[in-house]
Amino acid sequence: MARLCASLVRAPANVSCLAVMLLLCILSEAYAGLLGGGKQAPGEQHGGESLFDQSLSWSDDELAHKARMYSAVVGSREEFLAADNLAEYIGLSRVNAVHMPVPLNFVFVGFEGDGNLDISYTVEELQVWFGQLDHVLPHARIELAELDCSETGYCAGMVHGHYHQRPLPSYVHLNFSCQVVAIKRRSVVAAFERAIHVFSRPVTPASHQGEHQVDMTKFEAFVDHFVDSLGLQYQYTQVVLNPTWSSSQPMYGYRQGLSEGEIQLIKSVGRDQLLSTLTELSTGNDEPRLPAALQKPQWKNGQWTLFASQPADSKFSINDATAVSEAWVSLVEPYLKREEDYRTALLRKIDQGSSSTAILQAARVIKRMKSPLSDVLREELFGNPDSLLSRFRTAHPAEDCLVGNWVGLKRWLLLDLTAAAGDWGPAAGGEGVVTRATVPRVQDFFGALVQRQRDMRLSERLGDEAEMSLQKELMQTKSQMMASTSNAEYQAFSLKRQAWELEASAPGAPPMDIKKQMEAWGIKYKEALARAELDTYEQFALKHCHNAANPVPLCQDMKQDVDALRAKLSKIAATGEVTTELFPKHNWDIFGLGSRPMWGGSGSASLDGQGDRMHDYFMAELAALMSRGLRHVISPPTGVWRRAPLVPQAGAAVPSAAASVPARDAVSGVFARKVVFELVHVWELRHDMRAANNPRIGTSFNTHEFKKQVSSLRLTSKDGHSFQTFEFKERHVDLTSEPAVAAAFSVSLHAASHEVQLGPGEQSLDDAAEQLSIDSHELLHHLKGNILRSTPDAAQDAEPAGEEDSLKSTLVTAMMAAAGAEAGAGMLLQESTNMARWRRRQRRQEEAMAKELTIPVVVFNVHRNQPVLIDDHYNARAIGGAVIVVSNTAKDDEHPLGMMCNGALQSRPLSPLKDALSAVLLALGGVLPLQLGYNAGRRQVSHDWLWSVGAHPLSATSTGFEYSQMHRDALGRSYLLDALDVSVETVNRGVELLRAQRPSHRLHAHLKSPKAKRAWKAMLKYHSMTFSLWRQMVGYALELEYGKAADLIKDLRSNSELFYEACQKVATANESMQCIGRTVEPGSRLTMAVLYGSAGLALLAACYAGLPAVSMLRGRNQRRKF
């Protein structure tokens, strides 16, 4: 080209230069036009729409619309060109929300005027107050860049909820259907009251008048039987109890295990007696068992049915379970009678002094507790105190908190409004700490008001001759009955005493403890008087109150007196000396229950107004507590670490193969068919030294129980079919034989000294205690490539999460696109090639992850005098996809948890198993501890310790190693929610590609070809199958069949990806047709013909002008050859 230009310059014909310049200008203009220098196609900045308005509706009209859309073919050209974009022509739009129904029930026991202080609420009031609990809650994911101990509550610092990480958006909204189950029989309340008495014992063994504790091992099984008999086992249920309880009666709470007083009694005087009692229990008859529950419910019309209810599409329904509850009472009353008789028989058989009742109850608790809890408690009681207890543990024995609510191992929550309210939470206070005013107690709200009402009735009674006559009749009958009973009991005692004296005076007769016999008779005497008074009230009520149209106020006063008598009998029953039936059958309607309103009609406007206000305050606080249980236990948020984007956004760099994050990091947990737990036991001592050291049972890591409980996390169906396989691989490593591991352990181990506070008002320890701690991030960094073969999550978690590669930025951008900020077609197609490669790589990683997931579990068995903790405060912790556990055999443990319970600091558990199980649940599916939640109003992580109760690994108040069914559901729901979010985001990206494409003549003609028709139908088919899979998975979620829903995740991912790829092909073809169309439009053919003709003439002129120069050059070359 240079030579040509030089020859042209020297050529005599200057027209050739002009011709070349004209040719270059023409070509440059034409090329610039082909590069897209035209107008922007309309529809490229079109805003997104919400699919089905705000939810996925399953109405016939919507399904018919979808059927027509999926069978649509390209029709007339006019209709095709009239559409603004391809997505609008098909009828596709963005999905803004996928609503997942969650079945929820509220069971109120003791709210029909048959509970404590005659609290009564109508159906209309329940609907007004609890209808607001029918929330549609967007699922929240909390990005856990670093959640320190001040947020989890494990260190002795104040928790303020300052962790301001905004949640990652989710397309899935949890849609709760509220169903209130009405219990309208006093016999049901009486059955719960009787069970509380049967399973309770004094907190302090020496005092029967103080606070009592209900053994939750037995009472939880009792509530299980109640919920199952109502047919609610396949739904989430919140049970609210309002049992009758007198103010003179000792308060009670719920606890699993022994109290501090019982442990101290056994350690001081009762070890041998406890061992003999345990031996006696093991050789005797088994404890009474609950009968089989009522018939199982049937799945009909989208819900589980056992009793009459409203249609399944009703969002709020009131169901009458009177008949079912009465049948349940007939089942459990004989069982409770057997429990009473069994305890009385044991006390008579094992009589070894005044402490026999406490020893017997402790032995029964230990026998009932499931291993390894029983082993830990046995080690606590029978181990060597010098090697087991430190100064801190001596002051704070290992006892669970005494609470008034409970999270069961099945799908129910219990809230007792009469039980004693304790306090628990972070020792230094802060957000969400539970105090005695947290739960609205019936006695606190209405006690003073009820007493004022009774005083007013007494004052009014003085002026009513008819009622004064009835009261006089009652007092006379009562006096006669009491006198007769007292005389009969005294005469019987006199005869017995004469027989005792004759027996004691006989030659060779053993000495007799007359004082003990007198004490036993005194208990029976009080029992006889109480029962005589109870019979008097019953006879009088049957005569004057039962079936009365308007019972006199004296009837209500008698009911309160009866409650006080039953409380008195329960105190006597606690001694084990009651010989007659404690709870005889009564017609509880004899007092005219429900015939009078709870408030009103007293004649005092101020009293009635105060009652109405307290009524509303009480219901408002109760609804708030139940809403908190809904957000923290039934539908908690999930936690994630550093997460990669689901789909690269327009304008963002596609990650390279070396820097790409595995698919598991894209969400909180990816469902894998096979999960491999690599258990690596790292021993500080050699095998021969470990055998000589003989670590104690309570502190060694129980591998068998760990495998058993983790295996229960496998997704299964109700019929027992398993959708997952869990495999455990174990290795043992000695630090003495592994220098690299020993170096990693030593480098990450840090020492410090601190002063230990025993608790509020207690003197601190004199010497500063040495604290040894492992830096978990540093440890994982050094262990990578040694004993940890594959820890991608741990490596990623060691560095802070970047904003550009987080799931948050991806989904936030997607939400903004839904409001109208989306990329144009040119930019989308510019990255289509890189996007396809990235998706293929991600798909391969997801498929590999879906087949098998590996979670390393490293257990350090440390033998030192001081305990070694993780990150200063933990026995076990989940870091990304790995779990670190430290099992100590330290003799001194001066490190409290930083948690306060009933006014005392909690001691650190001997076994790290509970913390390890909680860490596995977090690593496997992002299931957070129950105290962590998300406050949508403040947009930050919130803390609430009220529902951190129950005997399970996630509880902060109790010791338990068995996962609750609600935690297994939360794990399965996490798999499902993440899969749905990824699928919806992928589909929305495909819809955005179609919305950015403008229909054209060429595209219409192209889509009429057979090959294009097949591609078009395939695209609609993939969207149809994706939509159908969404519906199936949501339907399985309604039945709580998360295993069956997870079984569809692979198909869902495949169809979503294929739909996106089909949209890419259609968009690419459309862009090509538009480019071709812009070069052959009819209006520009004449212009292009003139331009190309001029260019041809200019080229001929240039060639003609250059011929002389070419001839001259050829002549020169020939002369040079010669």
Side-chain angles (χ1 to χ4, degrees):
M1 179 64 70
R3 289 185 179 181
L4 179 59
C5 291
S7 62
L8 290 178
V9 170
R10 292 191 298 267
N14 293 330
V15 68
S16 60
C17 295
L18 297 175
V20 172
M21 293 176 62
L22 178 61
L23 174 62
L24 294 176
C25 291
I26 294 174
L27 293 178
S28 62
E29 290 293 331
Y31 184 68
L34 292 176
L35 288 179
K39 296 186 300 180
Q40 187 180 31
E44 291 181 353
Q45 299 295 331
H46 192 273
E49 298 179 2
S50 178
L51 182 62
F52 305 116
D53 195 5
Q54 286 185 349
S55 64
L56 286 175
S57 172
W58 313 128
S59 63
D60 294 338
D61 294 340
E62 289 291 346
L63 292 177
H65 166 72
K66 284 294 178 185
R68 290 193 301 270
M69 184 186 72
Y70 294 142
S71 61
V73 295
V74 179
S76 64
R77 176 176 300 182
E78 291 75 12
E79 181 182 357
F80 183 77
L81 296 178
D84 191 48
N85 52 68
L86 291 184
E88 178 184 331
Y89 176 75
I90 303 172
L92 295 177
S93 59
R94 290 180 51 87
V95 178
N96 287 344
V98 177
H99 285 225
M100 179 181 296
V102 179
L104 181 63
N105 301 283
F106 299 102
V107 180
F108 294 92
V109 180
F111 289 85
E112 292 286 338
D114 52 0
N116 195 21
L117 300 185
D118 301 336
I119 301 296
S120 178
Y121 290 98
T122 63
V123 172
E124 291 75 15
E125 290 173 325
L126 291 175
Q127 187 166 2
V128 168
W129 284 104
F130 294 97
Q132 58 88 22
L133 290 178
D134 177 25
H135 290 304
V136 178
L137 300 177
H139 177 67
R141 290 189 187 87
I142 301 174
E143 189 174 6
L144 305 180
E146 180 64 35
L147 199 64
D148 57 18
C149 67
S150 64
E151 296 299 324
T152 59
Y154 273 81
C155 58
M158 185 173 292
V159 176
H160 294 287
H162 62 270
Y163 192 73
H164 291 276
Q165 290 288 341
R166 296 185 62 181
L168 310 181
S170 174
Y171 292 100
V172 182
H173 292 193
L174 301 178
N175 195 345
F176 295 91
S177 58
C178 180
Q179 180 178 226
V180 174
V181 180
I183 307 294
K184 300 181 180 180
R185 286 294 179 265
R186 178 65 179 85
S187 57
V188 179
V189 185
F192 274 98
E193 294 170 358
R194 186 174 185 179
I196 291 173
H197 283 290
V198 170
F199 303 136
S200 66
R201 64 190 190 278
V203 173
T204 304
S207 174
H208 294 284
Q209 307 299 324
E211 205 170 34
H212 279 57
Q213 54 191 349
V214 180
D215 182 18
M216 281 309 296
T217 305
K218 298 288 286 187
F219 195 74
E220 184 171 346
F222 186 79
V223 179
D224 285 343
H225 192 273
F226 173 68
V227 174
D228 291 349
S229 296
L230 292 181
L232 305 178
Q233 58 266 49
Y234 299 140
Q235 305 175 46
Y236 299 109
T237 304
Q238 293 194 27
V239 181
V240 184
L241 287 183
N242 182 34
T244 303
W245 217 257
S246 173
S247 58
S248 61
Q249 197 170 1
M251 296 304 296
Y252 65 93
Y254 299 102
R255 171 185 284 152
Q256 179 183 251
L258 302 180
S259 66
E260 175 184 349
E262 291 172 322
I263 293 176
Q264 295 296 342
L265 174 65
I266 294 172
K267 287 181 178 180
S268 59
V269 299
R271 291 176 186 261
D272 296 336
Q273 187 177 353
L274 179 61
L275 285 174
S276 62
T277 304
L278 286 172
T279 304
E280 185 69 25
L281 291 176
S282 61
T283 58
N285 296 328
D286 293 335
E287 293 195 3
R289 297 180 179 274
L290 277 164
L294 297 177
Q295 59 180 342
K296 294 184 178 181
Q298 302 293 327
W299 179 260
K300 295 180 180 179
N301 299 325
Q303 67 175 358
W304 296 100
T305 57
L306 186 61
F307 40 81
S309 63
Q310 295 185 4
D313 57 352
S314 177
K315 291 290 297 172
F316 186 92
S317 59
I318 305 292
N319 300 286
D320 188 0
T322 301
V324 179
S325 59
E326 287 181 343
W328 173 77
V329 171
S330 64
L331 282 177
V332 298
E333 280 186 342
Y335 159 73
L336 294 175
K337 180 64 170 62
R338 292 194 300 270
E339 284 281 358
E340 295 168 351
D341 296 342
Y342 180 74
R343 183 176 66 173
T344 302
L346 286 176
L347 283 174
R348 292 176 180 175
K349 188 175 183 180
I350 307 172
D351 190 0
Q352 302 180 12
S354 59
S355 61
S356 59
T357 301
I359 299 298
L360 173 63
Q361 296 285 22
R364 295 183 66 191
V365 168
I366 294 176
K367 182 184 177 183
R368 285 194 295 258
M369 292 179 70
K370 299 178 181 179
S371 181
L373 285 177
S374 179
D375 296 336
V376 173
L377 194 55
R378 287 172 185 266
E379 182 68 22
E380 176 79 13
L381 296 175
F382 304 121
N384 185 1
D386 296 334
S387 63
L388 176 65
L389 298 178
S390 65
R391 286 174 291 173
F392 179 82
R393 290 189 61 82
T394 303
H396 299 80
E399 68 170 8
D400 289 350
C401 294
L402 196 65
V403 298
N405 54 321
W406 200 260
V407 175
L409 294 180
K410 292 189 177 180
R411 296 184 175 102
W412 56 262
L413 289 75
L414 175 68
L415 178 61
D416 193 333
L417 302 180
T418 304
D423 57 276
W424 62 88
E431 184 190 41
V433 175
V434 179
T435 64
R436 295 186 179 273
T438 300
V439 178
R441 305 293 169 185
V442 173
Q443 187 67 35
D444 297 340
F445 266 80
F446 304 107
L449 187 61
V450 170
Q451 185 61 40
R452 289 181 59 189
Q453 286 182 328
R454 181 165 186 170
D455 295 342
M456 183 173 293
R457 289 196 301 268
L458 291 176
S459 63
E460 294 175 353
R461 191 176 302 159
L462 297 176
D464 192 339
E465 296 182 359
E467 192 165 354
M468 287 297 296
S469 176
L470 288 176
Q471 186 177 11
K472 184 177 181 180
E473 177 186 350
L474 174 63
M475 297 304 295
Q476 290 177 353
T477 306
K478 178 180 176 181
S479 299
Q480 294 174 2
M481 178 70 74
M482 299 288 286
S484 174
T485 303
S486 177
N487 292 333
E489 288 294 326
Y490 184 76
Q491 291 177 4
F493 173 71
S494 298
L495 294 175
K496 288 184 179 180
R497 184 171 184 177
Q498 294 176 4
W500 295 340
E501 292 174 351
L502 289 175
E503 185 178 354
S505 61
M512 181 174 295
D513 190 352
I514 301 297
K515 182 179 179 181
K516 181 179 179 181
Q517 298 294 337
M518 290 286 291
E519 291 177 354
W521 175 81
I523 295 176
K524 294 180 181 179
Y525 179 73
K526 293 179 182 179
E527 176 195 350
L529 292 180
R531 292 197 178 281
E533 189 176 0
L534 187 62
D535 292 339
T536 302
Y537 287 138
E538 183 179 5
Q539 294 174 8
F540 188 87
L542 288 173
K543 181 179 179 181
H544 297 285
C545 303
H546 185 47
N547 292 330
N550 187 17
V552 295
L554 181 60
C555 295
Q556 191 170 359
D557 294 340
M558 280 196 305
K559 180 183 180 300
Q560 297 176 4
D561 294 337
V562 167
D563 294 338
L565 280 173
R566 293 176 65 245
K568 185 177 181 180
L569 283 173
S570 68
K571 296 178 184 178
I572 300 173
T575 63
E577 298 293 336
V578 177
T579 57
T580 58
E581 188 175 357
L582 177 61
F583 287 86
K585 292 184 178 180
H586 287 287
N587 184 2
W588 293 105
D589 295 336
I590 60 177
F591 298 101
L593 298 178
S595 58
R596 292 173 57 89
M598 194 171 103
W599 323 115
S602 63
S604 173
S606 62
L607 193 62
D608 294 342
Q610 182 182 359
D612 292 337
R613 288 193 298 272
M614 298 304 294
H615 173 278
D616 293 342
Y617 292 156
F618 177 79
M619 290 301 289
E621 291 201 20
L622 180 59
L625 288 184
M626 300 174 76
S627 178
R628 289 156 64 180
L630 190 70
R631 296 170 182 266
H632 284 264
V633 183
I634 297 178
S635 60
T638 54
V640 295
W641 284 272
R642 179 178 179 176
R643 301 307 175 197
L646 299 178
V647 179
Q649 299 300 305
V654 178
S656 62
S660 64
V661 183
R664 183 171 181 268
D665 283 340
V667 286
S668 57
V670 171
F671 173 70
R673 294 285 183 178
K674 181 180 180 180
V675 181
V676 179
F677 294 91
E678 288 190 352
L679 279 165
V680 183
H681 299 272
V682 181
W683 298 90
E684 197 173 22
L685 301 177
R686 296 195 307 270
H687 179 72
D688 54 346
M689 299 179 65
R690 295 199 302 268
N693 190 71
N694 189 19
R696 297 183 308 276
I697 298 176
T699 55
S700 60
F701 187 74
N702 194 329
T703 306
H704 173 74
E705 188 67 21
F706 177 82
K707 293 180 181 179
K708 175 183 176 183
Q709 298 304 330
V710 171
S711 297
S712 66
L713 297 177
R714 293 181 297 109
L715 288 185
T716 59
S717 61
K718 292 185 177 69
D719 55 6
H721 178 70
S722 178
F723 297 94
Q724 270 185 311
T725 302
F726 280 10
E727 181 180 344
F728 297 89
K729 297 180 180 180
E730 287 191 71
R731 287 186 292 152
H732 293 265
V733 177
D734 292 336
L735 292 182
T736 56
S737 59
E738 293 288 343
V741 179
F745 181 78
S746 300
V747 169
S748 61
L749 186 64
H750 305 282
S753 61
H754 68 288
E755 186 178 354
V756 178
Q757 289 290 133
L758 294 182
E762 301 181 19
Q763 186 177 2
S764 62
L765 300 179
D766 298 332
D767 301 329
E770 182 182 4
Q771 176 176 333
L772 300 177
S773 176
I774 295 176
D775 188 327
S776 60
H777 296 281
E778 187 174 5
L779 177 65
L780 287 179
H781 174 73
H782 291 293
L783 290 181
K784 184 182 179 183
N786 293 321
I787 60 175
L788 301 184
R789 298 186 176 91
S790 58
T791 57
D793 293 342
Q796 294 294 338
D797 186 67
E799 299 177 0
E803 187 70 21
E804 69 279 3
D805 62 347
S806 66
L807 177 63
K808 184 191 332 184
S809 61
T810 300
L811 291 181
V812 167
T813 305
M815 297 301 181
M816 293 175 60
E822 65 178 55
M827 186 170 293
L828 285 173
L829 290 176
Q830 184 178 356
E831 299 179 350
S832 61
T833 305
N834 293 335
M835 179 84 68
R837 286 199 298 265
W838 182 86
R839 282 191 166 277
R840 285 194 295 269
R841 185 170 64 246
Q842 285 291 94
R843 187 184 303 171
R844 289 194 298 268
Q845 294 173 342
E846 290 177 359
E847 290 175 355
M849 191 68 69
K851 294 179 181 178
E852 182 173 321
L853 173 65
T854 301
I855 297 182
V857 180
V858 185
V859 182
F860 286 91
N861 297 274
V862 182
H863 299 264
R864 302 192 179 202
N865 291 332
Q866 291 82 23
V868 178
L869 304 179
I870 302 173
D871 297 332
D872 297 330
H873 302 282
Y874 301 93
N875 287 329
R877 199 174 187 192
I879 306 296
V883 176
I884 306 297
V885 183
V886 175
S887 178
N888 289 284
T889 57
K891 296 179 181 179
D892 299 327
D893 187 355
E894 311 300 343
H895 302 83
L897 280 177
M899 291 289 295
M900 188 73 69
C901 177
N902 299 330
L905 285 174
Q906 286 185 276
S907 59
R908 190 170 302 282
L910 296 176
S911 172
L913 179 59
K914 175 185 174 183
D915 296 334
L917 293 173
S918 177
V920 167
L921 201 57
L922 180 61
L924 191 60
V927 180
L928 295 170
L930 299 183
Q931 70 268 16
L932 294 179
Y934 174 70
N935 189 307
R938 294 184 300 171
R939 295 185 176 182
Q940 68 183 41
V941 175
S942 63
H943 300 77
D944 189 353
W945 301 87
L946 175 64
W947 289 105
S948 186
V949 294
H952 52 79
L954 301 187
S955 173
T957 56
S958 299
T959 304
F961 300 138
E962 184 176 350
Y963 292 111
S964 171
Q965 185 60 50
M966 286 181 286
H967 302 148
R968 300 188 187 98
D969 290 348
L971 178 61
R973 192 185 303 116
S974 175
Y975 295 146
L976 183 57
L977 294 174
D978 293 331
L980 287 174
D981 273 332
V982 173
S983 175
V984 172
E985 175 63 13
T986 304
V987 170
N988 283 347
R989 293 288 290 171
V991 172
E992 288 176 6
L993 284 175
L994 297 181
R995 286 174 52 188
Q997 309 307 315
R998 181 186 179 186
S1000 62
H1001 294 272
R1002 284 274 181 173
L1003 180 61
H1004 182 269
H1006 170 72
L1007 293 177
K1008 287 292 187 177
S1009 65
K1011 183 178 180 180
K1013 285 183 178 180
R1014 289 193 297 268
W1016 183 269
K1017 291 182 178 180
M1019 181 184 66
L1020 297 180
K1021 172 189 173 183
Y1022 296 140
H1023 190 279
S1024 172
M1025 296 179 68
T1026 302
F1027 186 91
S1028 177
L1029 288 170
W1030 287 346
R1031 186 182 181 190
Q1032 291 183 54
M1033 297 172 79
V1034 168
Y1036 283 137
L1038 176 61
E1039 303 177 39
L1040 304 183
E1041 287 278 14
Y1042 293 108
K1044 294 182 179 179
D1047 194 37
L1048 304 176
I1049 290 178
K1050 181 179 178 181
D1051 295 337
L1052 180 65
R1053 182 188 298 117
S1054 175
N1055 284 278
S1056 303
E1057 293 286 345
L1058 291 174
F1059 170 74
Y1060 179 80
E1061 292 177 1
C1063 292
Q1064 272 191 323
K1065 294 178 180 178
V1066 172
T1068 304
N1070 181 37
E1071 191 68 16
S1072 302
M1073 294 300 102
Q1074 289 182 1
C1075 291
I1076 297 175
R1078 282 194 288 267
T1079 63
V1080 295
E1081 285 294 331
S1084 62
R1085 291 180 180 178
L1086 180 60
T1087 303
M1088 296 302 296
V1090 172
L1091 291 175
Y1092 285 125
S1094 302
L1097 291 176
L1099 182 60
L1100 293 176
C1103 293
Y1104 177 77
L1107 286 178
V1110 173
S1111 302
M1112 185 172 55
L1113 290 174
R1114 185 179 301 175
R1116 290 178 180 176
N1117 292 335
Q1118 290 178 357
R1119 284 195 296 270
R1120 288 176 182 175
K1121 290 181 182 180
F1122 290 104

